[in-house]
Amino acid sequence: MTRIRMTVDGVSYDDDVEPRLLLVHYLRDRLGRTGTPIGCDTSNCGACTVDLDGKAVKSCSVLAVQVDGSVVTTIQGLAGDGPSGAWHPVQKAFHEKHALQCGYCTPGMIMAAVDLLRDNPAPTERDVREGLEGNLCRCTGYQNIVEAVLQAAAELKGATR
Amino acid sequence: MSEIDAGMIATEVASEVSDPDGRIEIGRARLRKEDARLVTGQTNWTDNIQLPGMVHMAVLRSPMAHAKILRVDVSAALARPGVFAAYSGADLAAEQGSLPCAWPVTADMKQPPHPPLAVDEVRYVGDGVAVVVARDRYAAADALEAIEVDYEPLPAVVDMEEALTDKVLVHTDAGTNRCFTWPFANGDYDAVAKQADVVVKRRFIQQRLIPTAMEPRGVVVTPLPASEEYTVYSTTQIPHILRLMLAMVTGTPEQKLRVIAPDVGGGFGSKLNVYAEEVLALLVARRLGRPVKWTESRSEGYQATIHGRDQIQDIEVAAKSDGTLLGLKVELMADLGAYLQLVTPGVPILGAFMFNAIYKMQAYSFTCHGVFTTKTPTDAYRGAGRPEATFGVERIMDELAAELGMDPMELRKKNWISHDEFPYETIAGLTYDSGNYEAATAKAMELFDYDGLRREQQQRRESNDPVQLGIGISTFTEMCGLAPSRVLGTLSYGAGGWEAASIRMLPTGKVEVVTGTAPHGQGHVTAWSQIAADALGVPFEDVEVVHSDTRAAPQGMDTYGSRSLVVGGVAVHLACGKVVEKARRVAAHLLEAAEGDVDFAGGTFSVKGSPEASLPIQQIALATFAGHNLPDGMEPTLNSDYVMDPENFSFPHGTHLCAVDIDTETGFPTIRKYVAVDDVGKVINPMIVEGQVHGGLAQGIAQALYEEAVYDAEGNLTTGSMVDYYVPSAADLPHFTTDRTETPATSNPLGVKGVGEAGTIASTPAVVNAIVDALRPRGINDVRMPCSPERIWRALQGGTS
Ligand code: FES
Ligand code: FES
């Protein structure tokens, strides 16, 4: 067992964990942050994507002990405070552009899109398609996801102007 | 991060209907009620469930495709810390039963036993051999490794034609690998082929696919030992069918079983089944008296969850020199895998009604041989039998056009059912109620610029451009709205095809719609709200939809086969109609008018000729709840049920056109343009319809270009994880141009036809036809799917493939 400390969605935790415990299992099984789902065992699908110290990572591809001392934001911490807190523009755009069907890929897709827009605030359609290459969706055919990210980009640009 | 006030979030995209008061819901692109939870992570996936005392189950799977089980020793696993139990197939043999197949397609079909855990013999890589139960998933995984199994290897048989020689038997007791042969014929094909000017014969391969719903499968069973009750949470498309089947397989009284499909992350047919792990978790929960959870890993799922497609299609078409079709002959081999799952044998049979597609002909002959191999069982994958058939016929139409030197679109026009011939009885015996292939095609050709692209193609051919352009056509139809119960009976299916709805009018005038459908991404909560809002004249926001829990929504046939709207949505509409009739009676009583003089519009009852005498339906609901002043003998409720059994299938259709650029130096194909014009009848929510088409296109294109489940000669799945099985990402897929024509179905009062599978069914042949069209001047008339750059390049090197 190894002692780790971590802030997840604004709450700090202090826990003993097995060194082999994946971050995503720590979030889901230990902390009950089940908003972040698991879609594969090979780090291909991106469903588990969270924000780790300001960067999107696949939380199935890191061990909980590796991120000792970090700040993690999951889909459940992206909106403003409270269960009906204000949505992030990417969340809002996913809703308005019908960029989700079953919603299983959605948390990872949204977290990856937030990261993409941080790196490239004015992406082209091609940039979005390539930027989200590590996140698989089986329902939407991606077209509305791409449109949602472009809409969110426009909105974020307007907000910072 | 800038933030937006939740109150500012729009509730609708843009209205397409002329509806100045904004009161008609059907046809509006309402944003989905489902989304708020899903975009904020407030989800309830089966794997999220944690219960006091819950233990985790893991399944040890066979590493061999075919072997005798000599010994299973679980003692070392049991000795590990945190392990509660471990069982071999032999340990559970007396209680595990056999997994059900609900579709014995012929009277003499071979239906070998399918134990949830293999007892004597394993028959595919991934066949379950033992289970362990431990305190958490890591401990369970460790304990699996401590189980010892001795196998005596037997030969694998992975190729269908080899399997049909019966040299290696998958099930010795069956005596053959031929599970069934299912014939159908109308007219004398051989006779028309003799009169034909041209006969074209081709063999097409429908490769095996892995459905890959993004949520892996899982199940949680909570027992209440004192009363022998069980709640089963499962990642299933079919909570109602699952309850019935679990009762039958395990002997648990049906009324003691409650099945809940919580949030389900996609299915595409892969969750339309009754799986070994659902039975095993129930048995283990019963033995241990504790809640049990099992969740597959993705790689485990690639072996243990059904696969789709996998057919060899020998197709022959006979025609006159002017292009008039005379007949079609189809010989199918369908790879069933090692066992029959819920509807395995029925999937290829559905194709029997679809190979003839939208075309008129004098003779049709169809034979399907179901074949056992030592591979993961196949079953329904998006489209289930219909994409395979559509692929076969749309490909052979292009081959025939090439043979005749005709434009492939002209050939189709010459042979399709014209819009004034509906209703039309097809050569396969179905009655297509409506359709307008001319309209959809005209729209698609215009959006695509068909003539312009043909000109460009000609120029590139003449200039020997290294990038060649191919144009692919798919003028498809499908049968949806499964299904009239009587028809299912004639096809030997084990159940009916109806769907149930109940409307509960609450005292406050709000509405609960209880549906028997089980949505897992389709947006039924939103669409059913729109249907009920219109039928009852209540606000969209006032409607709640209850589903996917056999205790809250006790009657249902669930969600698959593009049936939910056509059967379940129509049931909601008709149940609302019954509510209105009851409410009219109360209104007439309260307004002191004859029932026949009371009109209902926009949620208000009013007396003909005196509009001031009126009552809103909400007030009627409250008055009925109070029951103080009702017509004599009336039950004090407006609640109503409707169980809808459709009179016919529905027949969505459309024209899809695909332009592919092929770099002849590298073989790399690029979809340059994709136009889909679909006619799905009346549309409840155009935004949701478009989304369904997009997703379907992605899966159909994936079959054409990217995906294939590959087995080696020993029966190992060599594409056993997402690393090797290529599910396309956003970067791999094009932008789609989608549009619609609207020819209402005449077989239901909403005029709807269904849309869930259209894109998948139509797109695969459109893409492959485009690729072959680009290569045809080089003497190439087929490329096996998936049409990878390597396969295209090899075809270019070797000519005809
Ligand atoms: S679950 Fe992490 S990438 Fe698939
Ligand atoms: S919405 Fe279902 S996987 Fe993306």
Side-chain angles (χ1 to χ4, degrees):
Chain A
M1 289 288 176
T2 309
R3 191 104 184 137
I4 57 167
R5 229 172 231 281
M6 204 182 298
T7 300
V8 177
D9 295 336
V11 179
S12 58
Y13 298 88
D14 201 340
D15 269 314
D16 288 325
V17 299
E18 274 190 78
R20 62 174 173 171
L21 184 69
L22 296 175
L23 175 60
V24 70
H25 284 143
Y26 177 68
L27 294 172
R28 291 177 53 79
D29 295 348
R30 289 289 286 277
L31 306 188
R33 297 307 272 175
T34 51
T36 302
I38 301 170
C40 73
D41 49 1
T42 48
S43 300
N44 285 87
C45 77
C48 63
T49 305
V50 300
D51 184 294
L52 177 72
D53 299 324
K55 252 347 257 173
V57 300
K58 294 179 174 178
S59 63
C60 72
S61 65
V62 281
L63 299 169
V65 295
Q66 283 176 296
V67 297
D68 181 26
S70 292
V71 176
V72 173
T73 304
T74 76
I75 189 71
Q76 287 169 280
L78 187 63
D81 285 343
S84 53
W87 290 359
H88 186 278
V90 174
Q91 288 172 304
K92 175 175 164 283
F94 267 59
H95 174 53
E96 291 181 358
K97 288 289 175 189
H98 187 36
L100 62 148
Q101 290 180 26
C102 79
Y104 201 79
C105 70
T106 308
M109 206 59 93
I110 288 176
M111 297 311 289
V114 168
D115 192 46
L116 183 152
L117 293 178
R118 224 169 5 216
D119 289 349
N120 181 359
T124 62
E125 176 186 339
R126 197 69 231 159
D127 293 340
V128 174
R129 286 186 180 271
E130 268 154 28
L132 294 179
E133 200 167 19
N135 289 71
L136 300 178
C137 172
R138 198 57 158 168
C139 297
T140 64
Y142 302 104
Q143 186 149 319
N144 290 347
I145 291 175
V146 173
E147 286 183 14
V149 176
L150 293 173
Q151 174 181 308
E155 192 161 320
L156 282 163
K157 211 158 79 198
T160 52
R161 194 176 288 148
Chain B
M1 275 176 205
S2 99
E3 288 179 342
I4 280 126
D5 180 59
M8 276 168 52
I9 291 162
T11 55
E12 187 186 348
V13 177
S15 185
E16 287 198 2
V17 255
S18 127
D19 174 23
D21 306 335
R23 299 200 66 153
I24 300 174
E25 286 292 341
I26 290 181
R28 276 171 80 163
R30 275 284 190 184
L31 297 184
R32 298 198 321 167
K33 292 182 171 182
E34 290 87 342
D35 291 355
R37 292 185 315 103
L38 298 171
V39 300
T40 55
Q42 298 169 56
T43 40
N44 190 23
W45 313 113
T46 298
D47 188 59
N48 292 5
I49 296 169
Q50 305 222 33
L51 295 162
M54 191 170 83
V55 289
H56 291 255
M57 183 176 88
V59 181
L60 184 70
R61 299 186 182 280
S62 169
M64 289 186 208
H66 198 189
K68 278 207 156 46
I69 300 172
L70 301 179
R71 185 182 71 104
V72 181
D73 183 354
V74 298
S75 54
L78 280 171
R80 293 188 57 88
V83 174
F84 287 77
Y87 307 111
S88 67
D91 294 334
L92 298 177
E95 61 200 276
Q96 68 174 347
S98 182
L99 293 175
C101 169
W103 206 335
V105 290
T106 59
D108 62 351
M109 182 185 90
K110 305 283 184 229
Q111 191 171 344
H114 186 184
L117 282 183
V119 179
D120 307 312
E121 201 168 311
V122 290
R123 295 187 172 87
Y124 67 96
V125 171
D127 210 353
V129 177
V131 292
V132 293
V133 186
R135 62 191 274 187
D136 62 40
R137 53 180 112 222
Y138 285 65
D142 289 345
L144 271 195
E145 293 184 12
I147 299 176
E148 291 176 24
V149 185
D150 292 343
Y151 297 100
E152 178 188 319
L154 295 169
V157 55
V158 298
D159 177 82
M160 274 189 272
E161 290 178 296
E162 191 194 324
L164 281 173
T165 67
D166 285 339
K167 285 195 191 110
V168 173
L169 291 178
V170 181
H171 297 273
T172 316
D173 290 348
T176 175
N177 294 323
R178 183 186 303 256
C179 174
F180 63 86
T181 293
W182 195 94
F184 175 90
N186 190 3
D188 185 343
Y189 175 79
D190 291 333
V192 301
K194 278 204 197 89
Q195 300 157 15
D197 298 320
V198 36
V199 171
V200 177
K201 195 172 173 175
R202 291 281 187 277
R203 168 169 280 201
F204 299 128
I205 307 293
Q206 277 280 322
Q207 81 272 34
R208 186 176 266 253
L209 301 178
I210 305 182
T212 320
M214 286 311 302
E215 179 200 29
R217 279 195 304 117
V219 57
V220 171
V221 179
T222 315
L224 198 59
S227 51
E228 291 180 63
E229 289 177 67
Y230 303 89
T231 302
V232 177
Y233 302 86
S234 181
T235 57
T236 186
Q237 297 172 230
I238 52 165
H240 299 92
I241 296 173
L242 179 60
R243 174 165 100 146
L244 172 64
M245 292 296 165
L246 283 177
M248 289 167 71
V249 172
T250 66
T252 312
E254 196 180 348
Q255 77 280 11
K256 299 282 193 184
L257 277 174
R258 173 184 185 185
V259 175
I260 299 172
D263 290 339
V264 176
F268 316 111
S270 71
K271 294 170 180 171
L272 190 196
N273 230 306
V274 177
Y275 281 105
E277 298 80 9
E278 291 166 327
V279 173
L280 294 169
L282 179 59
L283 298 182
V284 167
R286 183 156 81 187
R287 283 200 176 204
L288 301 184
R290 284 171 169 272
V292 174
K293 181 196 276 190
W294 170 81
T295 304
E296 70 182 8
S297 73
R298 175 63 60 185
S299 305
E300 181 182 20
Y302 273 8
Q303 298 177 352
T305 298
I306 61 101
H307 294 176
R309 315 277 191 261
D310 207 347
Q311 296 183 348
I312 298 174
Q313 312 179 320
D314 287 311
I315 304 183
E316 200 180 301
V317 66
K320 291 198 219 164
S321 56
D322 68 354
T324 306
L325 278 186
L326 295 173
L328 181 71
K329 182 177 171 187
V330 178
E331 281 277 321
L332 274 192
M333 277 177 267
D335 192 333
L336 309 173
Y339 296 98
L340 303 181
Q341 285 278 354
L342 192 63
V343 297
T344 301
V347 169
I349 300 305
L350 281 175
F353 305 99
M354 284 285 107
F355 271 97
N356 55 302
I358 63 172
Y359 307 115
K360 298 181 281 190
M361 62 191 79
Q362 297 169 18
Y364 172 53
S365 152
F366 173 94
T367 313
C368 175
H369 310 281
V371 186
F372 288 119
T373 57
T374 51
K375 292 185 276 187
T376 293
T378 56
D379 205 310
Y381 171 50
R382 203 169 191 172
R386 294 158 288 165
E388 296 92 320
T390 302
F391 180 83
V393 66
E394 289 302 297
R395 282 286 297 114
I396 200 94
M397 287 301 276
D398 265 32
E399 295 305 303
L400 177 62
E403 197 75 22
L404 292 168
M406 270 179 93
D407 179 278
M409 190 60 96
E410 289 310 312
L411 178 68
R412 286 167 168 84
K413 286 181 179 173
K414 188 162 190 81
N415 288 291
W416 70 36
I417 302 157
S418 92
H419 69 275
D420 51 11
E421 289 178 289
F422 291 96
Y424 184 88
E425 188 175 335
T426 72
I427 192 89
L430 296 179
T431 301
Y432 292 179
D433 64 305
S434 65
N436 191 333
Y437 311 137
E438 297 91 329
T441 300
K443 198 171 209 175
M445 287 176 80
E446 191 189 323
L447 285 168
F448 189 72
D449 186 20
Y450 186 84
D451 296 332
L453 285 169
R454 280 281 181 220
R455 276 195 298 276
E456 183 187 330
Q457 177 182 49
Q458 197 52 38
Q459 283 157 11
R460 289 203 196 192
R461 282 180 180 173
E462 280 159 13
S463 66
N464 208 12
D465 194 314
V467 178
Q468 286 291 312
L469 170 63
I471 294 169
I473 302 172
S474 173
T475 49
F476 81 106
T477 190
E478 53 166 334
M479 56 198 280
C480 292
L482 307 183
S485 297
R486 266 182 298 183
V487 177
L488 289 178
T490 63
L491 292 174
S492 312
Y493 182 63
W498 46 262
E499 194 49 87
S502 301
I503 309 299
R504 298 203 282 245
M505 284 300 296
L506 304 175
T508 52
K510 313 288 182 194
V511 179
E512 283 175 339
V513 171
V514 181
T515 177
T517 65
H520 41 282
Q522 296 86 345
H524 295 177
V525 171
T526 302
W528 287 198
S529 295
Q530 292 179 261
I531 292 171
D534 273 3
L536 298 171
V538 300
F540 169 79
E541 295 75 15
D542 286 359
V543 184
E544 201 63 47
V545 177
V546 178
H547 63 83
S548 304
D549 175 348
T550 60
R551 192 154 285 172
Q555 192 178 8
M557 276 292 181
D558 307 316
T559 287
Y560 44 86
S562 305
R563 70 185 304 273
S564 292
L565 172 61
V566 188
V567 194
V570 170
V572 170
H573 173 78
L574 293 170
C576 289
K578 284 171 124 180
V579 170
V580 170
E581 286 325 301
K582 287 185 188 174
R584 191 193 307 273
R585 203 174 151 201
V586 178
H589 178 74
L590 296 176
L591 294 167
E592 296 175 349
E595 237 182 285
D597 290 338
V598 175
D599 288 334
F600 180 65
T604 301
F605 293 94
S606 58
V607 180
K608 278 190 177 60
S610 43
E612 68 291 350
S614 70
L615 283 170
I617 194 167
Q618 289 87 349
Q619 217 166 313
I620 306 284
L622 185 62
T624 309
F625 165 76
H628 299 160
N629 183 14
L630 294 180
D632 285 342
M634 183 172 170
E635 284 180 71
T637 183
L638 300 179
N639 294 355
S640 297
D641 302 337
Y642 200 100
V643 180
M644 155 84 183
D645 199 340
E647 61 181 65
N648 192 0
F649 296 94
S650 59
F651 302 97
H653 68 83
T655 297
H656 288 212
L657 298 171
C658 178
V660 174
D661 278 338
I662 293 190
D663 182 332
T664 55
E665 278 151 21
T666 62
F668 201 90
T670 307
I671 295 182
R672 170 166 138 189
K673 198 180 227 182
Y674 195 102
V675 170
V677 175
D678 284 280
D679 192 325
V680 298
K682 282 276 181 205
V683 164
I684 307 299
N685 184 320
M687 178 194 81
I688 291 177
V689 164
E690 201 183 357
Q692 286 290 319
V693 172
H694 288 170
L697 292 176
Q699 284 178 21
I701 293 169
Q703 176 172 16
L705 295 182
Y706 301 115
E707 295 182 18
E708 179 169 25
V710 181
Y711 281 85
D712 67 15
E714 280 73 51
N716 297 302
L717 178 65
T718 59
T719 53
S721 79
M722 270 191 177
V723 174
D724 303 301
Y725 187 84
Y726 195 88
V727 175
S729 77
D732 300 312
L733 290 168
H735 179 89
F736 314 118
T737 304
T738 59
D739 207 332
R740 284 186 286 111
T741 53
E742 198 168 297
T743 315
T746 61
S747 51
N748 67 68
L750 290 176
V752 294
K753 300 185 189 170
V755 67
E757 294 157 304
T760 307
I761 292 171
S763 57
T764 311
V767 175
V768 178
N769 276 340
I771 289 169
V772 174
D773 185 52
L775 304 177
R776 203 180 291 280
R778 315 273 185 115
I780 293 164
N781 64 22
D782 197 21
V783 178
R784 265 191 68 170
M785 296 189 290
C787 303
S788 60
E790 184 190 335
R791 281 196 178 140
I792 294 171
W793 184 84
R794 283 187 193 285
L796 282 164
Q797 304 315 303
T800 306
S801 68

